Amino acid sequence: MSFFNLYYRPLLQPGSYPTSSYLTQTPSEILFLHIFSDMETEEYPPKAHSVLCIPELLRLTFQLSDPASNAVNARVCKRWSEIALDCLWADVDDLLRLLKLLAPMTVVKGTRNVFDFQRSPQVHDWRRFQKYAKRVRRLTYDVKGLPSPRVIRFSAFDTLARTRLRLDFLPNLQSLTWIGPLNYSIIFMHDRISHFAISLSGEGPSLPLYFLDVVSRMPNLITLDIRSSIPMSKIQSEMTAMLGALTHLISVTFPPYYLTGDVVEALSLHPRLAEIEFDFAAILGFGDATRLIGLPHFPAANLTKLFLDSTSILAPDDIRSLLSVVMDNCQSLTGLSILSPRNLSPDDLASLDEGVCTTFHTIQPLLKLHGLTSFEFVQPFPLLLQQRDLEVIACSWPCMEILRLNSHPVTSHQTTSTLEGLIPFAEHCPNLTELDLFLDATRTDLPDPTVHFKALKFLDVGLSKIKDVDAVALYLCQILPEGCIVMSSGVVPRPGEGLSEELLAAIPKPCAMWGDMHFVLPPLIQLRIRERERSRLMEQELAVLRKMLDKKITETGGEASSRGVTDITMSE
């Protein structure tokens, strides 16, 4: 249902029509009659409907609507038509639907899903088509991605190339994703495209020529996503030459085995390169990532984000070696994630040494990266941190916004951190919005905190133990801001990763008492905020009274006795 239908729903309710003639008309006719009756008035648009003429509001609304609704919105009025058409054709994931606007297309005889033009597009067809073509920003052609695959015949692309009035017939296209025959994509390329994703599925002499077309026709690419089943050894020289010529690249994505030494050397010359994403095959280890980052030609100096998801369990020494290399080579890093597998079998759990753990010494090299804003650290071994370690971490990362420090270890559920471990982050990390920490919440005989978080929205305590909900809530209400959610997520599988029943049985469930925080903590936080406000007002009043006391002493020449502020106030 379109936004317009929602807005005028009261018109369709019984008894709300001005005349009985409305009852015999369809909802669409009612809408148009109402609009045209407004246009006949002296004031247009009427004040009651002026909100529907704000372009920014209309664009936001139409962007949340489905294509069918925007097709209706485009036929409401001229004011709506342009905005609705922009939203309707900005993202095209069905190329056949777009080409049907140019000329009729039909199924080729003898086939079920192969389409071609019934006739060649004429000049007037292209001029009408430009009204829609200029609105396309992102184009995706995936011959297998649609629910019912529809293939466009090669002769149709040849017809487009022969009859088009201008080379860039989609002039505002910014993103092109092509999963299909490579030669078909060439006619859509131009120098204003900045994002390109391609699936390489064929070999032969045409592939080097295609790489040259990419460089010549789209020289300003900033994002390149390569998916391929072709062995890198067969196209390495051509691939390296293409990557070296695309000097504006900021982000590159590779399939397994494509990040070779020659590729790294070519990318190292790009000053704007900030992100490299690639998949490590199962036979590669975590040490390979460490050696890769440490290569002389690896463009690590400009990297801002690094995500490493290991397929094997990481030893603490390997983690420290990696972090040392990251610290030496990635000075611009703002986001780092180091993840170990979570879906462990009972045999994997039995093979883990319960005495092994990571400590402050393991992550210490990373503390020199003071610009980090996000750090995620997940592994089976517990991360044992003392109170002084947490203070050093918080002081080293003042810009931190998201910090996840292994809140749900598997091999052991002992920790040296108490609720006091929250204080350093509340004091030194004012921008922190999410904190995951494994704590010992059974100790509540702690001094009251004197600081509180300013922006924290989520506190995940994972598998932290707790005994007294009320005592913990009384402590947390003094340090957490209003609206902060306390949760005990335990082990949460990533999308597409299911946990075996054996693992779920081996890992203890988070204590149900943490769930009571949702009911106990919010009222206490609100009460604590009111107490702070009352204390602030009392301090202001006390300051005023002190000034009055000083003034009274001055006026009496120092003879007034120090009977207290109350006596002075009563005498006034």
Side-chain angles (χ1 to χ4, degrees), residues 340-344 349 378-380 406-411 413 460-464 488-494 497-500 503-504 506-510:
S340 288
R342 305 179 186 184
N343 191 11
L344 303 178
L349 290 173
V378 176
Q379 64 160 4
N406 204 38
S407 60
H408 41 271
V410 175
T411 60
H413 304 288
D460 189 349
V461 294
L463 299 175
S464 300
S488 176
S489 63
V491 176
V492 181
R494 293 188 295 272
E497 177 183 322
L499 292 177
S500 62
L503 178 59
L504 292 175
I507 300 177
K509 301 288 185 180

Coordinates of all heavy atoms in Angstrom, one line a residue, residues 340-344 349 378-380 406-411 413 460-464 488-494 497-500 503-504 506-510:
S340 N 37.5 -16.5 16.4 CA 37.8 -17.9 16.3 C 36.5 -18.7 16.2 O 35.4 -18.1 16.5 CB 38.5 -18.4 17.6 OG 39.8 -17.9 17.6
P341 N 36.5 -19.9 15.7 CA 35.3 -20.7 15.5 C 34.5 -20.9 16.8 O 35.0 -21.1 17.9 CB 35.8 -22.0 14.9 CG 37.2 -22.1 15.4 CD 37.7 -20.7 15.4
R342 N 33.2 -20.8 16.6 CA 32.3 -21.0 17.8 C 31.6 -22.4 17.7 O 31.1 -22.9 18.8 CB 31.2 -19.9 17.8 CG 31.8 -18.5 17.8 CD 30.7 -17.5 17.8 NE 31.3 -16.1 17.7 CZ 30.6 -15.0 17.7 NH1 29.3 -15.1 17.9 NH2 31.1 -13.8 17.6
N343 N 31.4 -22.9 16.5 CA 30.6 -24.1 16.4 C 31.6 -25.3 16.6 O 32.1 -25.9 15.7 CB 30.0 -24.2 15.0 CG 29.0 -25.4 14.9 OD1 28.7 -26.0 15.9 ND2 28.6 -25.7 13.7
L344 N 31.9 -25.6 17.9 CA 32.8 -26.6 18.2 C 32.1 -27.9 18.5 O 31.1 -28.0 19.2 CB 33.7 -26.2 19.4 CG 34.4 -24.9 19.3 CD1 35.2 -24.6 20.6 CD2 35.4 -24.9 18.1
L349 N 36.0 -29.6 22.0 CA 36.0 -29.1 23.3 C 37.0 -30.0 24.2 O 37.7 -29.5 25.1 CB 34.6 -29.2 23.9 CG 33.6 -28.2 23.3 CD1 32.2 -28.4 23.9 CD2 34.1 -26.7 23.7
V378 N 37.0 -12.5 20.0 CA 36.2 -13.7 20.3 C 37.0 -14.9 20.1 O 37.6 -15.2 19.1 CB 34.9 -13.8 19.5 CG1 34.1 -15.0 19.8 CG2 34.0 -12.6 19.7
Q379 N 37.1 -15.8 21.2 CA 37.8 -17.0 21.1 C 37.4 -17.9 22.3 O 36.7 -17.5 23.2 CB 39.3 -16.8 21.1 CG 39.8 -16.2 22.4 CD 41.3 -16.5 22.6 OE1 42.0 -17.0 21.8 NE2 41.8 -16.1 23.8
P380 N 37.7 -19.2 22.2 CA 37.2 -20.2 23.3 C 37.9 -19.9 24.6 O 37.3 -20.1 25.7 CB 37.6 -21.5 22.7 CG 37.8 -21.4 21.3 CD 38.3 -20.0 21.1
N406 N 35.5 -10.8 24.5 CA 35.3 -12.2 24.7 C 34.4 -12.4 26.0 O 34.9 -13.0 27.0 CB 36.7 -12.8 24.9 CG 36.7 -14.3 24.7 OD1 36.0 -14.8 23.7 ND2 37.4 -15.1 25.4
S407 N 33.2 -12.0 25.9 CA 32.3 -12.1 27.0 C 31.7 -13.5 27.2 O 31.1 -13.8 28.2 CB 31.1 -11.1 26.9 OG 30.4 -11.4 25.7
H408 N 32.0 -14.5 26.3 CA 31.5 -15.8 26.5 C 32.5 -16.9 26.2 O 32.4 -17.5 25.1 CB 30.2 -16.0 25.7 CG 30.3 -15.4 24.3 ND1 29.9 -14.1 24.1 CD2 30.7 -15.9 23.1 CE1 30.1 -13.9 22.8 NE2 30.6 -14.9 22.2
P409 N 33.5 -17.1 27.0 CA 34.5 -18.1 26.7 C 33.9 -19.5 26.9 O 32.9 -19.7 27.6 CB 35.6 -17.9 27.8 CG 34.9 -17.2 28.9 CD 33.8 -16.4 28.2
V410 N 34.6 -20.5 26.3 CA 34.0 -21.9 26.3 C 34.8 -22.8 27.3 O 34.2 -23.6 28.1 CB 34.1 -22.5 24.9 CG1 33.7 -24.0 24.9 CG2 33.3 -21.7 24.0
T411 N 36.1 -22.7 27.4 CA 36.9 -23.6 28.1 C 36.9 -23.4 29.6 O 37.1 -24.3 30.4 CB 38.4 -23.6 27.7 OG1 38.9 -22.3 27.9 CG2 38.5 -24.0 26.2
H413 N 35.1 -20.7 32.9 CA 34.2 -19.6 33.3 C 34.6 -18.9 34.5 O 33.8 -18.4 35.3 CB 32.8 -20.2 33.4 CG 32.3 -20.9 32.2 ND1 32.0 -20.3 31.1 CD2 32.2 -22.2 32.0 CE1 31.6 -21.2 30.2 NE2 31.8 -22.4 30.7
D460 N 26.9 -6.1 27.3 CA 26.7 -7.6 27.2 C 27.7 -8.2 28.2 O 28.9 -8.1 28.0 CB 27.0 -8.0 25.8 CG 26.6 -9.5 25.5 OD1 26.4 -10.2 26.5 OD2 26.6 -9.9 24.4
V461 N 27.1 -8.9 29.2 CA 27.9 -9.6 30.2 C 28.2 -11.0 29.9 O 28.8 -11.7 30.6 CB 27.3 -9.4 31.6 CG1 27.3 -8.0 32.0 CG2 25.9 -10.0 31.6
G462 N 27.7 -11.5 28.7 CA 27.9 -12.9 28.3 C 27.6 -13.9 29.3 O 26.4 -14.0 29.8
L463 N 28.6 -14.7 29.7 CA 28.4 -15.8 30.7 C 28.8 -15.4 32.1 O 29.1 -16.3 32.9 CB 29.2 -17.1 30.3 CG 28.8 -17.7 28.9 CD1 29.7 -18.8 28.5 CD2 27.3 -18.1 28.9
S464 N 28.8 -14.1 32.4 CA 29.2 -13.7 33.7 C 28.3 -14.2 34.8 O 27.1 -14.3 34.6 CB 29.2 -12.1 33.8 OG 30.0 -11.6 32.8
S488 N 22.6 -10.8 28.6 CA 23.6 -11.9 28.8 C 23.4 -12.8 27.6 O 22.6 -13.7 27.6 CB 23.2 -12.6 30.1 OG 24.0 -13.8 30.2
S489 N 24.1 -12.5 26.5 CA 23.9 -13.2 25.2 C 24.5 -14.6 25.2 O 24.0 -15.4 24.5 CB 24.6 -12.4 24.1 OG 26.0 -12.3 24.3
G490 N 25.5 -14.9 26.0 CA 26.1 -16.2 26.0 C 26.7 -16.4 24.6 O 27.3 -15.5 24.0
V491 N 26.6 -17.6 24.1 CA 27.2 -17.9 22.8 C 26.1 -17.7 21.7 O 25.1 -18.3 21.7 CB 27.6 -19.4 22.7 CG1 28.1 -19.8 21.4 CG2 28.8 -19.6 23.8
V492 N 26.4 -16.8 20.8 CA 25.4 -16.4 19.8 C 26.0 -16.8 18.5 O 27.0 -16.3 18.1 CB 25.1 -14.9 19.8 CG1 24.1 -14.5 18.7 CG2 24.6 -14.5 21.2
P493 N 25.4 -17.7 17.7 CA 25.9 -18.1 16.4 C 25.8 -17.0 15.4 O 24.9 -16.2 15.5 CB 25.0 -19.3 16.0 CG 23.8 -19.1 16.8 CD 24.1 -18.4 18.1
R494 N 26.7 -16.9 14.5 CA 26.7 -16.0 13.4 C 25.7 -16.5 12.4 O 25.3 -17.6 12.4 CB 28.0 -15.8 12.8 CG 29.1 -15.2 13.7 CD 30.3 -14.9 12.9 NE 31.0 -16.1 12.4 CZ 31.9 -16.7 13.2 NH1 32.2 -16.3 14.4 NH2 32.4 -17.8 12.7
E497 N 25.3 -20.1 10.8 CA 26.2 -21.0 11.6 C 25.3 -21.6 12.8 O 25.0 -20.9 13.7 CB 27.4 -20.3 12.2 CG 28.3 -21.1 13.1 CD 29.4 -20.3 13.7 OE1 29.9 -19.5 12.9 OE2 29.7 -20.5 14.8
G498 N 24.9 -22.8 12.7 CA 24.1 -23.5 13.7 C 25.0 -24.1 14.8 O 26.1 -24.7 14.5
L499 N 24.6 -24.1 16.0 CA 25.3 -24.8 17.1 C 24.8 -26.2 17.3 O 23.6 -26.4 17.3 CB 25.1 -24.0 18.4 CG 25.8 -22.6 18.4 CD1 25.5 -21.9 19.7 CD2 27.3 -22.7 18.2
S500 N 25.7 -27.1 17.4 CA 25.3 -28.5 17.6 C 24.7 -28.7 19.0 O 24.9 -27.9 20.0 CB 26.5 -29.4 17.5 OG 27.5 -29.1 18.5
L503 N 27.3 -29.1 21.7 CA 27.9 -27.8 22.2 C 27.0 -27.1 23.1 O 27.4 -26.6 24.2 CB 28.3 -27.0 21.0 CG 28.9 -25.6 21.3 CD1 30.2 -25.8 22.1 CD2 29.2 -24.8 20.1
L504 N 25.7 -27.0 22.8 CA 24.8 -26.3 23.6 C 24.7 -27.0 25.0 O 24.5 -26.3 26.0 CB 23.4 -26.3 23.0 CG 23.3 -25.4 21.7 CD1 21.9 -25.6 21.1 CD2 23.5 -24.0 22.0
A506 N 27.2 -28.6 26.4 CA 28.5 -28.5 27.1 C 28.7 -27.1 27.6 O 29.4 -26.9 28.6 CB 29.6 -28.8 26.1
I507 N 28.1 -26.1 27.0 CA 28.3 -24.7 27.4 C 27.1 -24.3 28.4 O 26.0 -24.5 28.0 CB 28.3 -23.7 26.2 CG1 29.5 -24.1 25.3 CG2 28.4 -22.3 26.7 CD1 29.5 -23.3 24.0
P508 N 27.4 -23.9 29.6 CA 26.4 -23.5 30.5 C 25.6 -22.3 30.0 O 26.1 -21.4 29.3 CB 27.1 -23.2 31.8 CG 28.5 -22.8 31.3 CD 28.8 -23.6 30.1
K509 N 24.3 -22.4 30.2 CA 23.4 -21.2 29.8 C 23.7 -20.0 30.7 O 24.1 -20.1 31.9 CB 21.9 -21.7 30.0 CG 21.5 -22.9 29.2 CD 21.4 -22.5 27.8 CE 20.9 -23.7 27.0 NZ 20.8 -23.5 25.6
P510 N 23.6 -18.8 30.1 CA 23.7 -17.6 30.9 C 22.7 -17.6 32.1 O 21.5 -18.1 31.9 CB 23.4 -16.5 29.9 CG 23.7 -17.1 28.6 CD 23.3 -18.5 28.7

